[in-house]
Amino acid sequence: MKKKLWSSVVASGLVLSVVAGCSSAPSNNSASTPAATGGQATSASKEQVNLRLYAFDGRDTTYNWTPTIAAFEKANPGIKVELVGLSEKGDTQEATKKLDLAAASGETMDIVMFSDPASYAQRVNLGMAAPIDEFIAKDGNYKEEEEYKVDTHLNGKVYALPGKFNPWYVLLNKDHLDEAGLKVPTDWTWDDFADYAKKLTKGEGTSKRYGTYFHGPQNGGWLEYLKLAMENQPQDSDILKADGTSNLDSPNFKKTLELRVKMEKEDKSAVPYADMISQKLAYRTQFFNQSASMLAIGSWMNTELGGTEKVPLNFNVAVAPFPKNNASDPIGYTPVTTDFVSVAASSKHKEEAYKFVRWYTTEGQLVQGKNVPSWSKVKSEDLTKIIDTILSATKNPEKVDKASLIKTLQVSKASQMVPAASYQAEVYKALNEEFEKLIFGKQDIDTTVKNSQDRTNQIIAANKK
């Protein structure tokens, strides 16, 4: 990689936005820290290979790195892994800045981890990650999109394998469901979701209990809530298509707007957007304080489902899959966050680096035992053990309907990934503004769709000049 390229990246202050609330908090280690010792090379004639792993989160409390790296080294004598943490404050933006600075200064890199699709896609385009298709071909020639629940292809090549698997799902107050005579859904549509929300809404005024709470969009972020009916599609599930053009002519964009307006204005079953903004509401407290009976959110919440010291759990919780548009649609497509684990383009030990990447994203995830893996070959009993471990760290794991959680995680899968465009944040901000005009009654749905399309196309055109 050329220093000039990375110097320009750093100088321009390239810092990609990370989905708020994602559980990928960076490291407590601001400098390189030696990995745990493991097996030694078995042959004196074979030179030991030292790999440097740049992780945005280097803490054992969240990623269990010490035993994980030790297990890899034991299984692969002759390869040592040095962990490099990128932030002391749990700040993914700081981690991204430090990663860019390390690349610009020519530090030795062998394995790099990205915490979100935007960071991954943009740094692939800048040449930080190497394609690993040739190693996959030698390693059984498996299909990445079948071997894992997250498809990491970019421009027809694989530049990373996915680690953890955090799909979005719907949290349910099971006590409220029982009170309303409703079953825990195992396969449902957005129409069903709206019907549940209406039946779960209760009371008036300040003590009113809403059927659901939508935590966005806000400040150009949390756009997941502005594309609900798009995100459950196998392809073209985002605002922009893979070629960078607008996807707002999709009828599912309008369907999302219709759903949001119906639930807030007609059914009055969703917490008002104005309240979310003016009162700076938090999704955790809305759900755990029982102000809202359902919450569509990412499964980084697994570690909090049984309640914590800060946010206790005083009711029973169940989990349902992300809703579909039509009953005949395939179940399980949902937004997903993951770790993108790549071989650094500048590595002099790409084969050994790939060996770690492949091991870490398969067997290593089971050793780590901190997250649900993206590896599709995880056995049910292994998944159950991981969930048991995660829930055991909460205050009241017995209040969580574990069967519904496991079943939801088993059916969940990611849509085809759409590479992030450099102007994506600008588009998101414009769409947020148009949504606010709609939800505050300043324009109708058709006008909102048209204005959103026009502004998005203008931004795209301006960035092509």
Side-chain angles (χ1 to χ4, degrees):
M1 178 171 319
K2 296 180 180 179
K3 283 190 179 182
K4 183 177 180 181
L5 172 62
W6 280 103
S7 297
S8 66
V9 170
V10 175
S12 65
L14 174 62
V15 180
L16 300 176
S17 299
V18 178
V19 177
C22 177
S23 61
S24 53
S27 165
N28 278 336
N29 309 313
S30 59
S32 302
T33 55
T37 57
Q40 300 296 319
T42 56
S43 172
S45 62
K46 184 177 181 180
E47 184 178 354
Q48 177 176 288
V49 173
N50 297 308
L51 301 177
R52 301 190 85 209
L53 162 63
Y54 281 72
F56 54 83
D57 190 335
R59 298 173 296 177
D60 272 0
T61 53
T62 50
Y63 274 79
N64 220 11
W65 282 119
T66 300
T68 302
I69 290 175
F72 172 78
E73 292 177 338
K74 184 177 180 180
N76 296 273
I79 303 178
K80 303 290 287 185
V81 179
E82 177 187 350
L83 178 65
V84 181
L86 293 168
S87 173
E88 294 179 347
K89 301 181 297 183
D91 185 339
T92 49
Q93 290 191 350
E94 179 189 21
T96 302
K97 284 182 179 179
K98 287 189 174 182
L99 182 63
D100 289 345
L101 285 169
S105 62
E107 289 187 20
T108 299
M109 292 180 173
D110 296 291
I111 305 150
V112 288
M113 291 179 66
F114 306 105
S115 62
D116 66 290
S119 294
Y120 167 56
Q122 189 137 12
R123 278 152 188 79
V124 164
N125 290 336
L126 290 167
M128 180 182 278
I132 58 175
D133 302 83
E134 64 175 296
F135 300 114
I136 291 175
K138 295 176 183 177
D139 189 18
N141 202 30
Y142 59 86
K143 293 184 177 180
E144 184 272 342
E145 65 273 22
E146 295 178 359
E147 190 79 356
Y148 298 89
K149 291 187 175 183
V150 180
D151 185 352
T152 60
H153 279 83
L154 287 174
N155 304 318
K157 295 183 179 180
V158 178
Y159 292 87
L161 296 180
K164 69 187 178 190
F165 180 68
N166 278 349
W168 277 53
Y169 50 26
V170 178
L171 298 184
L172 306 156
N173 185 314
K174 195 169 186 299
D175 293 357
H176 292 175
L177 289 185
D178 292 343
E179 176 188 289
L182 298 171
K183 295 181 179 180
V184 176
T186 57
D187 188 355
W188 59 339
T189 66
W190 283 115
D191 288 340
D192 296 329
F193 179 90
D195 182 59
Y196 265 57
K198 191 173 182 179
K199 291 176 179 177
L200 290 167
T201 299
K202 184 178 181 180
E204 295 292 340
T206 56
S207 62
K208 181 175 180 178
R209 185 186 82 197
Y210 288 91
T212 196
Y213 169 75
F214 296 114
H215 192 59
Q218 53 176 300
N219 303 316
W222 290 99
L223 264 289
E224 290 87 357
Y225 294 101
L226 193 51
K227 47 184 177 174
L228 296 170
M230 303 171 73
E231 292 164 324
N232 54 23
Q233 301 299 299
Q235 296 177 322
D236 293 335
S237 60
D238 211 332
I239 298 299
L240 299 174
K241 296 181 180 180
D243 61 2
T245 59
S246 171
N247 191 32
L248 296 180
D249 57 353
S250 166
N252 293 326
F253 175 62
K254 182 177 181 180
K255 181 180 176 68
T256 301
L257 298 179
E258 291 171 338
L259 177 74
R260 293 294 303 272
V261 170
K262 178 182 185 296
M263 295 185 69
E264 179 172 333
K265 305 298 184 182
E266 298 175 23
D267 297 347
K268 301 187 185 303
S269 61
V271 175
Y273 183 85
D275 289 358
M276 181 198 74
I277 297 297
S278 63
Q279 298 176 31
K280 297 181 179 179
L281 299 178
Y283 61 83
R284 285 178 177 86
T285 52
Q286 284 293 295
F287 182 71
F288 285 105
N289 288 353
Q290 303 192 67
S291 298
S293 301
M294 302 191 298
L295 176 68
I297 198 68
S299 58
W300 57 79
M301 290 297 294
N302 288 345
T303 58
E304 302 175 46
L305 288 189
T308 62
E309 289 284 357
K310 187 175 181 180
V311 187
L313 175 67
N314 299 309
F315 56 92
N316 293 296
V317 173
V319 183
F322 201 68
K324 308 183 300 186
N325 293 338
N326 307 293
S328 60
D329 291 346
I331 187 174
Y333 284 108
T334 180
V336 170
T337 57
T338 188
D339 301 325
F340 297 89
V341 192
S342 299
V343 174
S346 59
S347 174
K348 295 180 180 178
H349 305 288
K350 289 185 174 64
E351 185 172 352
E352 291 84 357
Y354 165 79
K355 182 175 289 188
F356 176 85
V357 170
R358 174 62 170 161
W359 179 89
Y360 172 72
T361 59
T362 53
E363 299 170 47
Q365 290 292 291
L366 303 181
V367 173
Q368 199 168 57
K370 285 288 187 178
N371 296 291
V372 174
S374 292
W375 191 29
S376 61
K377 293 186 178 180
V378 173
K379 298 177 182 178
S380 295
E381 55 265 33
D382 290 328
L383 179 58
T384 299
K385 289 177 184 177
I386 292 170
I387 292 300
D388 283 339
T389 300
I390 292 172
L391 293 180
S392 68
T394 65
K395 301 297 290 184
N396 296 103
E398 75 281 356
K399 290 184 176 295
V400 179
D401 183 347
K402 189 174 70 174
S404 68
L405 171 60
I406 292 174
K407 186 170 184 177
T408 294
L409 293 173
Q410 286 175 329
V411 301
S412 298
K413 48 186 174 287
S415 305
Q416 185 180 60
M417 195 178 72
V418 178
S422 60
Y423 44 85
Q424 183 167 291
E426 192 177 353
V427 170
Y428 281 7
K429 183 175 182 295
L431 297 186
N432 198 153
E433 292 170 355
E434 293 303 320
F435 174 77
E436 290 192 348
K437 294 175 188 176
L438 168 67
I439 211 69
F440 291 145
K442 296 180 180 179
Q443 64 187 22
D444 60 23
I445 290 176
D446 288 335
T447 302
T448 302
V449 171
K450 183 179 185 305
N451 289 352
S452 297
Q453 291 174 332
D454 290 346
R455 292 185 67 178
T456 297
N457 287 331
Q458 288 169 7
I459 292 169
I460 293 171
N463 279 274
K464 287 185 176 180
K465 293 180 180 179

